[in-house]
């Protein structure tokens, strides 16, 4: 059984104590830092002062990136499958003519 680690992350002027696996620490700290930076950017660029609105905008930004990445990968997979089908047809035609 792996040892748990207790950390505190600060997001939007609140501290969140967490008990995590040590392997998660770096990712969580980077995520909290990214949220803080994006929240600061939204506050400066859009004069948003309500922390809930800022956090909602951050959540939307990060979620949309994840969704878009999934869409892009799906499109890439579809293109790859189509190319493989074309190659399979060429190989079949070449082998069939011998």
């Amino acid at each position: 059984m792996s040892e748990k680690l207790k950390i505190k992350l600060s997001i939007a002027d609140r501290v969140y104590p967490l008990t995590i696996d040590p392997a998660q620490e770096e990712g969580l700290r980077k995520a909290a830092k990214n949220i803080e930076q994006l929240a600061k950017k939204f506050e400066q660029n859009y004069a948003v002062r309500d922390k809930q609105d800022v956090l909602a905008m951050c959540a939307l930004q990060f979620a949309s990136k994840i969704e878009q990445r999934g869409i892009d990968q799906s499109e890439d997979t579809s293109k790859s499958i189509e190319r493989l089908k074309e190659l399979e047809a060429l190989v079949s035609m070449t082998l069939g003519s011998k």
Side-chain angles (χ1 to χ4, degrees):
M1 184 171 142
S2 68
E3 188 107 4
K4 295 289 185 179
L5 182 64
K6 293 184 182 218
I7 65 170
K8 292 181 181 178
L9 296 178
S10 177
I11 301 172
D13 301 327
R14 286 195 181 180
V15 175
Y16 296 91
L18 301 171
T19 302
I20 61 167
D21 289 324
Q24 295 177 297
E25 183 179 13
E26 182 180 1
L28 285 168
R29 290 198 186 277
K30 284 183 177 182
K33 183 179 178 182
N34 288 337
I35 292 168
E36 281 292 312
Q37 289 173 343
L38 188 58
K40 200 172 283 190
K41 180 180 162 186
F42 282 136
E43 287 175 334
Q44 291 169 351
N45 293 339
Y46 300 105
V48 180
R49 296 288 171 241
D50 184 354
K51 292 292 184 186
Q52 184 172 342
D53 289 341
V54 170
L55 290 174
M57 291 168 69
C58 289
L60 179 60
Q61 178 88 13
F62 289 122
S64 68
K65 283 183 181 180
I66 291 169
E67 291 299 324
Q68 189 60 50
R69 195 172 301 134
I71 291 167
D72 292 345
Q73 286 176 351
S74 177
E75 289 174 359
D76 288 345
T77 300
S78 296
K79 288 177 186 175
S80 296
I81 290 171
E82 191 58 39
R83 285 189 199 132
L84 286 171
K85 286 179 180 177
E86 290 171 5
L87 284 172
E88 182 181 26
L90 284 171
V91 169
S92 293
M93 283 177 35
T94 303
L95 290 177
S97 63
K98 286 188 175 183

Coordinates of all heavy atoms in Angstrom, one line a residue:
M1 N 0.8 -1.2 0.0 CA 0.0 0.0 0.0 C 0.9 1.2 0.0 O 1.8 1.4 0.8 CB -0.9 0.0 1.2 CG -1.9 1.1 1.3 SD -3.0 0.8 2.7 CE -3.2 2.4 3.3
S2 N 0.6 2.1 -0.9 CA 1.5 3.3 -1.0 C 1.1 4.4 0.0 O -0.1 4.5 0.4 CB 1.4 3.9 -2.4 OG 0.1 4.4 -2.7
E3 N 2.1 5.1 0.4 CA 1.9 6.2 1.4 C 1.2 7.4 0.8 O 1.5 7.8 -0.4 CB 3.2 6.6 1.9 CG 3.2 7.5 3.1 CD 3.6 6.9 4.4 OE1 3.9 5.7 4.4 OE2 3.5 7.6 5.4
K4 N 0.2 7.9 1.5 CA -0.5 9.1 1.0 C 0.2 10.4 1.4 O 1.0 10.4 2.4 CB -1.9 9.2 1.5 CG -2.8 8.0 1.0 CD -3.1 8.2 -0.4 CE -4.1 7.1 -0.9 NZ -4.5 7.2 -2.3
L5 N 0.1 11.4 0.6 CA 0.7 12.7 0.8 C -0.4 13.7 1.1 O -1.4 13.8 0.4 CB 1.5 13.0 -0.4 CG 2.4 14.3 -0.4 CD1 3.4 14.3 0.7 CD2 3.0 14.5 -1.8
K6 N -0.1 14.6 2.1 CA -1.1 15.7 2.4 C -0.5 17.0 1.8 O 0.6 17.3 2.2 CB -1.3 15.8 3.9 CG -2.1 14.6 4.4 CD -2.4 14.7 5.8 CE -3.2 13.5 6.3 NZ -4.2 13.7 7.2
I7 N -1.2 17.6 1.0 CA -0.8 18.9 0.4 C -1.9 19.9 0.5 O -3.1 19.6 0.8 CB -0.3 18.8 -1.1 CG1 -1.5 18.4 -2.0 CG2 0.8 17.8 -1.2 CD1 -1.2 18.5 -3.5
K8 N -1.5 21.2 0.3 CA -2.5 22.2 0.3 C -2.3 23.0 -1.0 O -1.2 23.4 -1.4 CB -2.3 23.2 1.5 CG -2.7 22.6 2.8 CD -2.5 23.5 3.9 CE -2.8 22.9 5.3 NZ -2.6 23.8 6.4
L9 N -3.4 23.2 -1.8 CA -3.4 24.0 -3.0 C -4.2 25.2 -2.8 O -5.3 25.2 -2.3 CB -3.9 23.1 -4.2 CG -3.1 21.9 -4.5 CD1 -3.8 21.2 -5.7 CD2 -1.7 22.2 -4.9
S10 N -3.7 26.3 -3.3 CA -4.4 27.6 -3.3 C -4.9 27.9 -4.7 O -4.2 28.0 -5.6 CB -3.5 28.7 -2.8 OG -4.1 29.9 -2.8
I11 N -6.3 28.0 -4.7 CA -6.9 28.4 -6.0 C -8.0 29.4 -5.7 O -8.8 29.3 -4.8 CB -7.6 27.1 -6.6 CG1 -6.6 26.0 -6.9 CG2 -8.4 27.5 -7.9 CD1 -7.2 24.7 -7.3
A12 N -7.9 30.6 -6.4 CA -8.8 31.7 -6.2 C -9.0 32.1 -4.8 O -10.1 32.2 -4.2 CB -10.2 31.3 -6.8
D13 N -7.9 32.3 -4.1 CA -7.8 32.8 -2.8 C -8.4 31.9 -1.7 O -8.8 32.3 -0.7 CB -8.5 34.2 -2.7 CG -7.8 35.2 -3.5 OD1 -6.6 35.1 -3.7 OD2 -8.5 36.1 -4.0
R14 N -8.5 30.6 -2.1 CA -8.9 29.6 -1.1 C -7.9 28.5 -1.1 O -7.3 28.2 -2.1 CB -10.3 29.0 -1.5 CG -11.4 29.9 -1.3 CD -12.7 29.1 -1.3 NE -13.8 30.0 -1.1 CZ -15.1 29.7 -1.1 NH1 -15.4 28.4 -1.4 NH2 -16.0 30.5 -0.9
V15 N -7.7 27.9 0.1 CA -6.8 26.8 0.3 C -7.6 25.5 0.3 O -8.5 25.4 1.1 CB -5.9 27.0 1.5 CG1 -5.0 25.8 1.8 CG2 -5.1 28.3 1.4
Y16 N -7.1 24.5 -0.4 CA -7.7 23.2 -0.5 C -6.8 22.2 0.0 O -5.8 21.9 -0.7 CB -8.2 22.9 -1.9 CG -9.2 23.9 -2.4 CD1 -8.9 25.1 -3.1 CD2 -10.6 23.6 -2.2 CE1 -9.9 25.9 -3.5 CE2 -11.6 24.5 -2.6 CZ -11.2 25.7 -3.3 OH -12.1 26.6 -3.7
P17 N -7.0 21.6 1.2 CA -6.2 20.5 1.6 C -6.6 19.2 0.9 O -7.8 18.9 0.8 CB -6.5 20.4 3.1 CG -7.8 21.0 3.3 CD -8.0 22.0 2.1
L18 N -5.6 18.5 0.4 CA -5.8 17.2 -0.3 C -4.9 16.1 0.2 O -3.8 16.4 0.6 CB -5.6 17.4 -1.8 CG -6.3 18.5 -2.5 CD1 -5.7 18.7 -3.9 CD2 -7.8 18.1 -2.6
T19 N -5.5 14.9 0.2 CA -4.7 13.7 0.5 C -4.6 13.0 -0.8 O -5.6 12.5 -1.4 CB -5.3 12.9 1.6 OG1 -5.5 13.7 2.7 CG2 -4.5 11.7 1.9
I20 N -3.3 12.8 -1.3 CA -3.1 12.3 -2.7 C -2.0 11.2 -2.7 O -1.3 11.1 -1.7 CB -2.7 13.4 -3.6 CG1 -1.4 14.1 -3.2 CG2 -3.9 14.4 -3.7 CD1 -0.8 15.0 -4.2
D21 N -1.9 10.5 -3.8 CA -0.8 9.7 -4.1 C 0.4 10.6 -4.5 O 0.2 11.6 -5.2 CB -1.1 8.7 -5.2 CG -2.0 7.6 -4.8 OD1 -2.0 7.2 -3.7 OD2 -2.9 7.2 -5.7
P22 N 1.6 10.3 -4.0 CA 2.7 11.2 -4.3 C 2.9 11.4 -5.9 O 3.3 12.5 -6.3 CB 3.9 10.4 -3.8 CG 3.4 9.6 -2.6 CD 2.0 9.2 -3.1
A23 N 2.5 10.4 -6.7 CA 2.6 10.5 -8.1 C 1.7 11.6 -8.7 O 2.0 12.1 -9.8 CB 2.3 9.2 -8.8
Q24 N 0.7 12.0 -8.0 CA -0.2 13.0 -8.5 C 0.2 14.4 -8.1 O -0.3 15.4 -8.7 CB -1.6 12.8 -7.8 CG -2.3 11.5 -8.2 CD -3.6 11.4 -7.4 OE1 -3.6 11.4 -6.1 NE2 -4.7 11.4 -8.1
E25 N 1.2 14.6 -7.3 CA 1.5 15.9 -6.8 C 1.9 16.9 -7.9 O 1.4 18.0 -7.9 CB 2.6 15.9 -5.7 CG 2.9 17.2 -5.1 CD 4.0 17.2 -4.1 OE1 4.7 16.2 -3.9 OE2 4.1 18.3 -3.4
E26 N 2.8 16.5 -8.7 CA 3.3 17.4 -9.7 C 2.2 17.9 -10.6 O 2.0 19.1 -10.9 CB 4.4 16.8 -10.6 CG 5.0 17.7 -11.6 CD 6.1 17.1 -12.4 OE1 6.4 15.9 -12.2 OE2 6.6 17.8 -13.3
G27 N 1.3 17.0 -11.1 CA 0.2 17.3 -12.0 C -0.8 18.2 -11.3 O -1.3 19.2 -11.9
L28 N -1.1 18.0 -10.0 CA -2.0 18.8 -9.3 C -1.5 20.2 -9.1 O -2.2 21.2 -9.3 CB -2.4 18.2 -8.0 CG -3.4 17.0 -8.1 CD1 -3.4 16.3 -6.7 CD2 -4.7 17.5 -8.5
R29 N -0.2 20.3 -8.7 CA 0.4 21.6 -8.5 C 0.4 22.4 -9.8 O 0.2 23.6 -9.9 CB 1.8 21.5 -7.9 CG 1.7 21.0 -6.5 CD 3.0 21.3 -5.7 NE 3.0 20.7 -4.4 CZ 2.4 21.3 -3.3 NH1 1.8 22.4 -3.4 NH2 2.4 20.7 -2.1
K30 N 0.8 21.8 -10.9 CA 0.8 22.4 -12.2 C -0.6 22.9 -12.6 O -0.8 24.0 -13.2 CB 1.4 21.5 -13.3 CG 2.9 21.4 -13.3 CD 3.4 20.5 -14.4 CE 4.9 20.5 -14.4 NZ 5.4 19.7 -15.5
A31 N -1.6 22.0 -12.4 CA -3.0 22.4 -12.7 C -3.4 23.6 -11.9 O -4.1 24.5 -12.5 CB -3.9 21.2 -12.5
A32 N -3.1 23.6 -10.6 CA -3.5 24.7 -9.8 C -2.8 26.0 -10.2 O -3.5 27.1 -10.3 CB -3.2 24.4 -8.3
K33 N -1.6 25.9 -10.6 CA -0.8 27.1 -11.1 C -1.5 27.6 -12.4 O -1.6 28.8 -12.6 CB 0.6 26.7 -11.4 CG 1.5 27.9 -11.8 CD 2.9 27.4 -12.0 CE 3.8 28.6 -12.5 NZ 5.2 28.2 -12.7
N34 N -1.8 26.7 -13.3 CA -2.5 27.1 -14.6 C -3.8 27.7 -14.4 O -4.2 28.7 -15.0 CB -2.7 25.8 -15.5 CG -1.4 25.4 -16.1 OD1 -0.4 26.1 -16.2 ND2 -1.3 24.1 -16.5
I35 N -4.6 27.2 -13.4 CA -5.9 27.8 -13.1 C -5.6 29.2 -12.5 O -6.3 30.2 -12.9 CB -6.6 27.0 -12.1 CG1 -7.1 25.6 -12.7 CG2 -7.9 27.7 -11.5 CD1 -7.6 24.6 -11.7
E36 N -4.7 29.4 -11.6 CA -4.4 30.7 -11.1 C -4.0 31.7 -12.1 O -4.5 32.8 -12.2 CB -3.3 30.6 -10.0 CG -3.7 30.1 -8.7 CD -4.6 31.1 -8.0 OE1 -4.3 32.3 -7.9 OE2 -5.7 30.6 -7.5
Q37 N -3.1 31.3 -13.1 CA -2.7 32.2 -14.1 C -3.8 32.6 -15.1 O -4.0 33.7 -15.4 CB -1.6 31.5 -14.9 CG -0.3 31.4 -14.2 CD 0.8 30.6 -14.9 OE1 0.5 29.9 -15.9 NE2 2.0 30.7 -14.5
L38 N -4.7 31.6 -15.4 CA -5.8 31.9 -16.3 C -6.8 32.8 -15.6 O -7.3 33.7 -16.2 CB -6.4 30.6 -16.8 CG -7.5 30.7 -17.9 CD1 -7.0 31.4 -19.1 CD2 -8.0 29.4 -18.2
A39 N -7.1 32.5 -14.3 CA -8.0 33.3 -13.6 C -7.5 34.8 -13.5 O -8.3 35.7 -13.7 CB -8.2 32.8 -12.2
K40 N -6.2 35.0 -13.3 CA -5.6 36.3 -13.2 C -5.8 37.0 -14.6 O -6.1 38.2 -14.6 CB -4.2 36.2 -12.8 CG -3.6 37.5 -12.3 CD -2.2 37.2 -11.8 CE -2.2 36.6 -10.4 NZ -1.0 36.5 -9.7
K41 N -5.6 36.2 -15.6 CA -5.7 36.8 -17.0 C -7.2 37.2 -17.3 O -7.4 38.3 -17.8 CB -5.3 35.7 -18.0 CG -5.4 36.1 -19.5 CD -4.9 35.0 -20.4 CE -5.4 35.2 -21.8 NZ -5.1 34.0 -22.6
F42 N -8.1 36.4 -16.9 CA -9.6 36.8 -17.1 C -9.9 38.0 -16.2 O -10.6 38.9 -16.7 CB -10.5 35.6 -16.7 CG -10.6 34.5 -17.7 CD1 -10.5 33.2 -17.4 CD2 -10.7 34.8 -19.1 CE1 -10.6 32.2 -18.3 CE2 -10.8 33.8 -20.0 CZ -10.8 32.5 -19.6
E43 N -9.4 38.1 -15.0 CA -9.7 39.2 -14.1 C -9.1 40.5 -14.7 O -9.8 41.6 -14.7 CB -9.1 39.0 -12.7 CG -9.9 38.0 -11.9 CD -9.3 37.7 -10.6 OE1 -8.0 37.8 -10.4 OE2 -10.0 37.2 -9.7
Q44 N -8.0 40.4 -15.3 CA -7.3 41.6 -15.9 C -8.0 42.0 -17.2 O -8.2 43.2 -17.4 CB -5.8 41.4 -16.1 CG -5.1 41.3 -14.8 CD -3.6 40.8 -15.0 OE1 -3.3 40.4 -16.1 NE2 -2.8 40.8 -14.0
N45 N -8.2 41.0 -18.1 CA -8.7 41.4 -19.4 C -10.2 41.6 -19.5 O -10.6 42.3 -20.5 CB -8.3 40.2 -20.4 CG -6.8 40.1 -20.6 OD1 -6.1 41.0 -20.4 ND2 -6.4 38.9 -21.0
Y46 N -10.9 41.1 -18.6 CA -12.4 41.2 -18.7 C -13.0 41.9 -17.5 O -14.2 42.0 -17.4 CB -13.0 39.8 -19.0 CG -12.5 39.2 -20.2 CD1 -11.6 38.1 -20.1 CD2 -12.9 39.6 -21.5 CE1 -11.1 37.5 -21.3 CE2 -12.5 39.0 -22.6 CZ -11.6 37.9 -22.5 OH -11.1 37.3 -23.6
A47 N -12.2 42.5 -16.7 CA -12.7 43.2 -15.5 C -13.7 42.3 -14.7 O -14.7 42.9 -14.2 CB -13.3 44.5 -15.9
V48 N -13.5 41.1 -14.6 CA -14.4 40.2 -13.9 C -13.9 40.1 -12.4 O -12.7 39.8 -12.2 CB -14.4 38.7 -14.5 CG1 -15.3 37.8 -13.7 CG2 -14.8 38.8 -15.9
R49 N -14.7 40.4 -11.5 CA -14.3 40.4 -10.1 C -14.9 39.2 -9.3 O -14.3 38.8 -8.3 CB -14.7 41.7 -9.4 CG -14.0 42.9 -10.0 CD -12.5 42.9 -9.6 NE -11.8 44.0 -10.4 CZ -10.8 43.7 -11.2 NH1 -10.4 42.5 -11.4 NH2 -10.2 44.7 -11.9
D50 N -16.0 38.7 -9.7 CA -16.6 37.6 -9.0 C -15.8 36.3 -9.3 O -15.7 35.8 -10.4 CB -18.1 37.4 -9.5 CG -18.8 36.3 -8.8 OD1 -18.2 35.6 -7.9 OD2 -20.0 36.2 -9.0
K51 N -15.2 35.7 -8.2 CA -14.4 34.5 -8.3 C -15.1 33.4 -9.0 O -14.6 32.6 -9.7 CB -13.8 34.1 -7.0 CG -12.8 35.1 -6.4 CD -11.6 35.1 -7.2 CE -10.5 36.0 -6.5 NZ -9.3 36.2 -7.3
Q52 N -16.4 33.2 -8.7 CA -17.2 32.1 -9.3 C -17.3 32.3 -10.8 O -17.1 31.3 -11.5 CB -18.6 32.1 -8.7 CG -19.4 30.9 -9.2 CD -20.7 30.7 -8.4 OE1 -20.9 31.3 -7.4 NE2 -21.6 29.9 -9.0
D53 N -17.5 33.5 -11.3 CA -17.5 33.7 -12.7 C -16.1 33.4 -13.3 O -16.0 32.8 -14.4 CB -17.9 35.2 -13.0 CG -19.3 35.4 -12.7 OD1 -20.1 34.5 -12.6 OD2 -19.7 36.6 -12.6
V54 N -15.1 33.8 -12.7 CA -13.7 33.6 -13.2 C -13.4 32.1 -13.2 O -12.9 31.6 -14.2 CB -12.7 34.3 -12.3 CG1 -11.3 33.9 -12.6 CG2 -12.8 35.8 -12.4
L55 N -13.8 31.4 -12.2 CA -13.6 29.9 -12.1 C -14.4 29.2 -13.2 O -13.9 28.2 -13.8 CB -13.8 29.4 -10.7 CG -12.8 29.8 -9.7 CD1 -13.2 29.3 -8.3 CD2 -11.4 29.3 -10.1
A56 N -15.6 29.7 -13.4 CA -16.5 29.1 -14.4 C -15.8 29.3 -15.8 O -15.8 28.4 -16.7 CB -17.9 29.7 -14.4
M57 N -15.3 30.5 -16.1 CA -14.6 30.7 -17.3 C -13.4 29.9 -17.5 O -13.1 29.4 -18.6 CB -14.3 32.2 -17.4 CG -15.5 33.1 -17.6 SD -15.2 34.9 -17.3 CE -14.2 35.3 -18.8
C58 N -12.6 29.7 -16.4 CA -11.5 28.8 -16.4 C -11.9 27.3 -16.7 O -11.3 26.7 -17.6 CB -10.7 28.8 -15.1 SG -9.8 30.3 -14.7
A59 N -12.9 26.9 -16.1 CA -13.4 25.5 -16.3 C -13.8 25.3 -17.8 O -13.5 24.3 -18.4 CB -14.6 25.2 -15.4
L60 N -14.5 26.3 -18.3 CA -15.0 26.3 -19.7 C -13.8 26.2 -20.6 O -13.7 25.4 -21.6 CB -15.9 27.4 -20.0 CG -16.4 27.5 -21.5 CD1 -17.2 26.3 -21.8 CD2 -17.2 28.8 -21.7
Q61 N -12.8 27.0 -20.4 CA -11.5 27.1 -21.2 C -10.8 25.7 -21.2 O -10.5 25.2 -22.3 CB -10.6 28.2 -20.7 CG -9.3 28.3 -21.4 CD -9.4 29.2 -22.6 OE1 -10.3 30.0 -22.7 NE2 -8.4 29.2 -23.4
F62 N -10.6 25.1 -20.0 CA -9.9 23.9 -19.9 C -10.8 22.7 -20.5 O -10.2 21.9 -21.2 CB -9.5 23.6 -18.5 CG -8.4 24.4 -18.0 CD1 -8.6 25.2 -16.8 CD2 -7.2 24.5 -18.6 CE1 -7.6 26.0 -16.4 CE2 -6.2 25.3 -18.1 CZ -6.4 26.1 -17.0
A63 N -12.0 22.7 -20.2 CA -12.9 21.7 -20.8 C -13.0 21.7 -22.3 O -13.0 20.7 -22.9 CB -14.3 21.8 -20.1
S64 N -13.1 22.9 -22.8 CA -13.2 23.0 -24.3 C -11.9 22.6 -25.0 O -11.9 21.9 -26.0 CB -13.5 24.5 -24.7 OG -12.4 25.3 -24.4
K65 N -10.7 22.8 -24.3 CA -9.5 22.3 -24.9 C -9.5 20.8 -24.9 O -9.0 20.1 -25.9 CB -8.3 22.8 -24.1 CG -7.9 24.2 -24.3 CD -6.7 24.6 -23.6 CE -6.3 26.1 -23.8 NZ -5.1 26.5 -23.1
I66 N -9.9 20.2 -23.8 CA -10.0 18.7 -23.8 C -10.9 18.1 -24.8 O -10.6 17.2 -25.6 CB -10.4 18.2 -22.4 CG1 -9.3 18.5 -21.4 CG2 -10.8 16.7 -22.4 CD1 -9.7 18.4 -19.9
E67 N -12.1 18.7 -24.9 CA -13.1 18.3 -25.9 C -12.6 18.5 -27.4 O -12.7 17.6 -28.2 CB -14.4 19.1 -25.8 CG -15.2 18.7 -24.5 CD -15.6 17.3 -24.4 OE1 -15.9 16.6 -25.4 OE2 -15.5 16.7 -23.3
Q68 N -11.9 19.6 -27.6 CA -11.4 19.9 -29.0 C -10.3 18.9 -29.3 O -10.2 18.4 -30.4 CB -10.9 21.3 -29.1 CG -10.5 21.7 -30.5 CD -11.7 21.6 -31.5 OE1 -12.8 22.1 -31.2 NE2 -11.5 20.9 -32.6
R69 N -9.5 18.5 -28.3 CA -8.4 17.6 -28.5 C -9.0 16.2 -28.9 O -8.5 15.5 -29.8 CB -7.5 17.4 -27.3 CG -6.2 16.7 -27.5 CD -5.3 16.8 -26.3 NE -5.0 18.2 -25.9 CZ -5.0 18.6 -24.7 NH1 -5.4 17.8 -23.7 NH2 -4.7 19.9 -24.4
G70 N -10.1 15.8 -28.2 CA -10.8 14.6 -28.6 C -11.4 14.6 -30.0 O -11.3 13.6 -30.7
I71 N -11.9 15.7 -30.4 CA -12.5 15.9 -31.7 C -11.4 15.8 -32.7 O -11.5 15.1 -33.8 CB -13.3 17.2 -31.9 CG1 -14.5 17.2 -31.0 CG2 -13.6 17.5 -33.3 CD1 -15.2 18.5 -30.8
D72 N -10.3 16.5 -32.5 CA -9.1 16.4 -33.4 C -8.6 15.0 -33.6 O -8.3 14.6 -34.7 CB -8.0 17.4 -33.0 CG -8.5 18.9 -33.1 OD1 -9.5 19.2 -33.7 OD2 -7.8 19.7 -32.4
Q73 N -8.5 14.3 -32.5 CA -7.9 13.0 -32.5 C -8.9 12.0 -33.3 O -8.5 11.2 -34.0 CB -7.7 12.4 -31.1 CG -6.5 13.0 -30.4 CD -6.3 12.6 -29.0 OE1 -7.2 11.9 -28.4 NE2 -5.2 12.9 -28.4
S74 N -10.2 12.2 -33.1 CA -11.2 11.4 -33.8 C -11.1 11.7 -35.3 O -11.1 10.7 -36.1 CB -12.6 11.8 -33.3 OG -13.5 11.1 -34.0
E75 N -10.9 12.9 -35.7 CA -10.8 13.2 -37.1 C -9.5 12.6 -37.6 O -9.5 12.1 -38.8 CB -10.8 14.8 -37.3 CG -12.2 15.4 -37.1 CD -12.2 16.9 -37.1 OE1 -11.1 17.5 -37.3 OE2 -13.2 17.5 -37.0
D76 N -8.4 12.7 -36.9 CA -7.1 12.1 -37.3 C -7.3 10.6 -37.4 O -6.8 10.0 -38.4 CB -6.0 12.4 -36.3 CG -5.6 13.9 -36.4 OD1 -5.9 14.6 -37.4 OD2 -4.9 14.4 -35.4
T77 N -8.0 10.0 -36.5 CA -8.2 8.5 -36.6 C -9.0 8.2 -37.8 O -8.7 7.2 -38.5 CB -8.9 8.0 -35.3 OG1 -8.1 8.4 -34.2 CG2 -9.2 6.5 -35.3
S78 N -10.1 8.9 -38.1 CA -10.9 8.7 -39.3 C -10.1 8.8 -40.5 O -10.2 8.0 -41.5 CB -12.1 9.6 -39.3 OG -12.9 9.4 -38.2
K79 N -9.2 9.8 -40.6 CA -8.4 10.0 -41.8 C -7.4 8.8 -41.9 O -7.2 8.3 -43.0 CB -7.6 11.3 -41.7 CG -8.5 12.5 -41.9 CD -7.7 13.8 -41.8 CE -8.6 15.0 -41.8 NZ -7.8 16.3 -41.5
S80 N -6.8 8.4 -40.8 CA -5.9 7.3 -40.8 C -6.6 6.0 -41.3 O -6.0 5.2 -42.1 CB -5.3 7.1 -39.5 OG -4.5 8.2 -39.1
I81 N -7.8 5.8 -40.8 CA -8.5 4.6 -41.2 C -8.8 4.6 -42.7 O -8.7 3.6 -43.4 CB -9.8 4.4 -40.4 CG1 -9.5 4.1 -38.9 CG2 -10.8 3.4 -41.0 CD1 -10.6 4.1 -38.0
E82 N -9.2 5.8 -43.2 CA -9.5 5.9 -44.6 C -8.2 5.6 -45.5 O -8.3 4.9 -46.5 CB -10.0 7.3 -44.9 CG -10.6 7.4 -46.3 CD -11.7 6.5 -46.6 OE1 -12.5 6.2 -45.8 OE2 -11.7 6.0 -47.8
R83 N -7.1 6.1 -45.0 CA -5.8 5.9 -45.8 C -5.5 4.4 -45.7 O -5.0 3.8 -46.7 CB -4.7 6.7 -45.1 CG -4.8 8.2 -45.5 CD -3.5 8.9 -45.0 NE -3.8 10.3 -45.0 CZ -3.5 11.1 -43.9 NH1 -2.9 10.6 -42.9 NH2 -3.7 12.4 -44.0
L84 N -5.7 3.8 -44.6 CA -5.4 2.3 -44.5 C -6.3 1.5 -45.4 O -5.8 0.6 -46.0 CB -5.5 1.8 -43.0 CG -4.4 2.3 -42.1 CD1 -4.8 1.9 -40.6 CD2 -3.1 1.6 -42.5
K85 N -7.5 1.9 -45.5 CA -8.4 1.2 -46.4 C -8.0 1.4 -47.9 O -8.0 0.4 -48.7 CB -9.9 1.7 -46.3 CG -10.5 1.3 -45.0 CD -11.9 1.8 -44.9 CE -12.6 1.4 -43.6 NZ -13.9 1.9 -43.4
E86 N -7.5 2.6 -48.2 CA -7.0 2.8 -49.6 C -5.8 2.0 -49.9 O -5.7 1.4 -50.9 CB -6.7 4.3 -49.8 CG -7.9 5.2 -49.8 CD -7.6 6.7 -49.8 OE1 -6.4 7.0 -49.9 OE2 -8.5 7.5 -49.7
L87 N -4.9 1.9 -48.9 CA -3.7 1.1 -49.0 C -4.0 -0.4 -49.1 O -3.5 -1.1 -50.0 CB -2.7 1.3 -47.9 CG -1.9 2.6 -47.9 CD1 -1.2 2.8 -46.5 CD2 -0.9 2.6 -49.0
E88 N -5.0 -0.8 -48.3 CA -5.4 -2.2 -48.4 C -6.0 -2.6 -49.8 O -5.7 -3.6 -50.3 CB -6.5 -2.5 -47.3 CG -6.9 -3.9 -47.3 CD -8.0 -4.2 -46.2 OE1 -8.7 -3.2 -45.9 OE2 -8.1 -5.3 -45.7
A89 N -6.8 -1.7 -50.3 CA -7.3 -1.9 -51.7 C -6.2 -1.9 -52.7 O -6.3 -2.8 -53.6 CB -8.3 -0.8 -52.0
L90 N -5.2 -1.1 -52.6 CA -4.1 -1.1 -53.5 C -3.3 -2.4 -53.4 O -3.0 -3.0 -54.4 CB -3.2 0.1 -53.3 CG -3.6 1.4 -53.8 CD1 -2.7 2.5 -53.3 CD2 -3.7 1.5 -55.3
V91 N -3.1 -2.8 -52.2 CA -2.3 -4.1 -52.0 C -3.2 -5.3 -52.6 O -2.6 -6.1 -53.2 CB -2.0 -4.3 -50.5 CG1 -1.5 -5.7 -50.2 CG2 -1.0 -3.3 -50.1
S92 N -4.4 -5.3 -52.3 CA -5.3 -6.4 -52.8 C -5.3 -6.4 -54.3 O -5.3 -7.4 -54.9 CB -6.7 -6.2 -52.3 OG -6.8 -6.4 -50.9
M93 N -5.4 -5.2 -54.9 CA -5.4 -5.1 -56.4 C -4.1 -5.6 -57.0 O -4.0 -6.4 -57.9 CB -5.6 -3.7 -56.9 CG -7.1 -3.3 -56.8 SD -7.4 -1.5 -57.2 CE -6.2 -1.2 -58.5
T94 N -3.0 -5.2 -56.3 CA -1.6 -5.6 -56.8 C -1.4 -7.1 -56.6 O -1.0 -7.8 -57.5 CB -0.5 -4.9 -56.0 OG1 -0.8 -3.5 -56.1 CG2 0.8 -5.2 -56.5
L95 N -1.8 -7.6 -55.5 CA -1.7 -9.1 -55.3 C -2.6 -9.9 -56.1 O -2.3 -11.0 -56.5 CB -1.9 -9.4 -53.8 CG -0.8 -8.9 -52.8 CD1 -1.2 -9.2 -51.4 CD2 0.6 -9.5 -53.2
G96 N -3.8 -9.4 -56.4 CA -4.8 -10.1 -57.2 C -4.4 -10.1 -58.7 O -4.8 -11.0 -59.4
S97 N -3.6 -9.2 -59.1 CA -3.2 -9.2 -60.5 C -2.0 -10.1 -60.8 O -1.7 -10.3 -62.0 CB -2.9 -7.8 -61.0 OG -1.7 -7.3 -60.3
K98 N -1.5 -10.7 -59.8 CA -0.3 -11.6 -60.0 C -0.7 -13.0 -60.3 O -1.6 -13.6 -60.1 CB 0.6 -11.6 -58.9 CG 1.4 -10.3 -58.8 CD 2.5 -10.3 -57.8 CE 3.3 -9.1 -57.8 NZ 4.4 -9.1 -56.9

